[in-house]
Amino acid sequence: MSHAGPTLEDELERARDLSVAELADAIESIGFECTRCGACCKGHGPADDREPHTATVFPDEVRAVQAATEAESYDWRDVARPMPYGLTEGDDGPEGETFEWALQTDACGDCVFYEESEGADGTTGACSIHSDRPLICETYPFSVALGGTSQPMGEAVDSVALGDQQDPDETDDEAMTVRAHECEGLGRDISREDAEELAAALKERAVRELEEAIGVRDEYEPVQTESGEVVVHDSEGLKRPDGTPIEE
């Protein structure tokens, strides 16, 4: 008999039941301290074939960044771009349907909000919207393994099972773990206070990702795109690349 996997609603309940203390224990056991190297904010790969930085941003997070940077009068496209996965390159540029948004990038493929400065200790990176950065940025290099949640670019390099959260009947693919992704700050000491703060954000992100996934599923309406047209499906419905809704 085949094993029926959990629904998104099931996973959402699991995310809501996550123990912040257990998440903090896992983060402490792995260890982390940001070195401000900027690797998680930059594009990846060689200069002649550079893959742009891709970090998921929720619609309300885009608006929060716009509100926080009101003086710069950023429009939607200054903050976010259509998630590139699923799009194809047509004669007039990217086209097709995609799901969700990614933080905007510059000509080098780095996050548009990433800044570098030279100091006595060399080059360090900084985020110009640090206090309003999306949850995926706030929680990097960690993610929670749940169906319907995402992980940052690259495979996990370490993981810790959440022992008290395990169901003896679940498969390995359904096991709840905290994953750590490539980062030079891994393995460094972290205070309990910082681990708990990071754990709380990690739980919030897991919940939000699942709520967004359910919203995208429920709002999804297939469309026929024209040449050069991009349509983004998010939890609020169909949108153009500038964030304005498409009324069907």
Side-chain angles (χ1 to χ4, degrees):
M1 182 180 296
S2 63
H3 178 80
T7 66
L8 289 175
E9 285 79 7
D10 292 335
E11 297 287 43
L12 178 57
E13 288 308 307
R14 296 176 81 197
R16 288 172 173 162
D17 288 340
L18 283 168
S19 164
V20 170
E22 267 203 74
L23 291 171
D25 289 343
I27 290 168
E28 271 192 303
S29 69
I30 295 172
F32 172 67
E33 179 185 20
C34 180
T35 64
R36 295 183 64 188
C37 68
C40 60
C41 305
K42 297 179 180 179
H44 303 270
D48 59 347
D49 189 26
R50 194 169 176 82
E51 187 173 351
H53 172 264
T54 305
T56 304
V57 58
F58 303 132
D60 64 319
E61 289 180 322
V62 177
R63 291 188 286 267
V65 171
Q66 287 181 285
T69 55
E70 185 177 3
E72 286 83 359
S73 299
Y74 287 148
D75 67 24
W76 186 282
R77 285 173 292 191
D78 292 322
V79 178
R81 63 192 175 101
M83 188 63 74
Y85 309 125
L87 300 180
T88 58
E89 193 64 30
D91 294 338
D92 300 317
E95 59 187 33
E97 295 178 82
T98 189
F99 297 86
E100 293 303 327
W101 303 90
L103 280 174
Q104 187 58 271
T105 53
D106 62 19
C108 297
D110 301 339
C111 176
V112 73
F113 298 107
Y114 175 68
E115 299 175 343
E116 284 188 340
S117 60
E118 295 290 338
D121 297 327
T123 302
T124 57
C127 173
S128 63
I129 55 167
H130 188 266
S131 60
D132 299 284
R133 67 198 187 282
L135 282 165
I136 197 168
C137 303
E138 186 177 353
T139 54
Y140 192 87
F142 297 99
S143 63
V144 178
L146 282 171
T149 59
S150 66
Q151 62 178 357
M153 185 176 295
E155 294 300 318
V157 297
D158 200 355
S159 64
V160 174
L162 301 176
D164 292 345
Q165 304 280 341
Q166 299 303 327
D167 180 339
D169 296 326
E170 69 189 0
T171 66
D172 289 342
D173 288 341
E174 295 167 0
M176 297 175 67
T177 60
V178 171
R179 302 171 294 198
H181 303 268
E182 187 175 358
C183 175
E184 69 174 35
L186 289 173
R188 298 169 182 256
D189 290 338
I190 183 171
S191 70
R192 183 64 186 185
E193 180 181 2
D194 288 345
E196 288 180 348
E197 182 178 347
L198 183 49
L202 194 57
K203 176 178 179 177
E204 181 184 359
R205 175 181 149 205
V207 170
R208 291 286 309 284
E209 285 183 338
L210 283 157
E211 290 175 338
E212 185 72 13
I214 290 170
V216 170
R217 181 200 64 193
D218 292 347
E219 291 292 329
Y220 177 75
E221 292 287 346
V223 294
Q224 184 66 44
T225 58
E226 299 178 0
S227 177
E229 182 184 20
V230 171
V231 172
V232 181
H233 300 270
D234 66 23
S235 61
E236 299 172 350
L238 300 172
K239 291 195 177 87
R240 300 179 182 86
D242 64 1
T244 57
I246 298 174
E247 301 296 337
E248 287 293 293

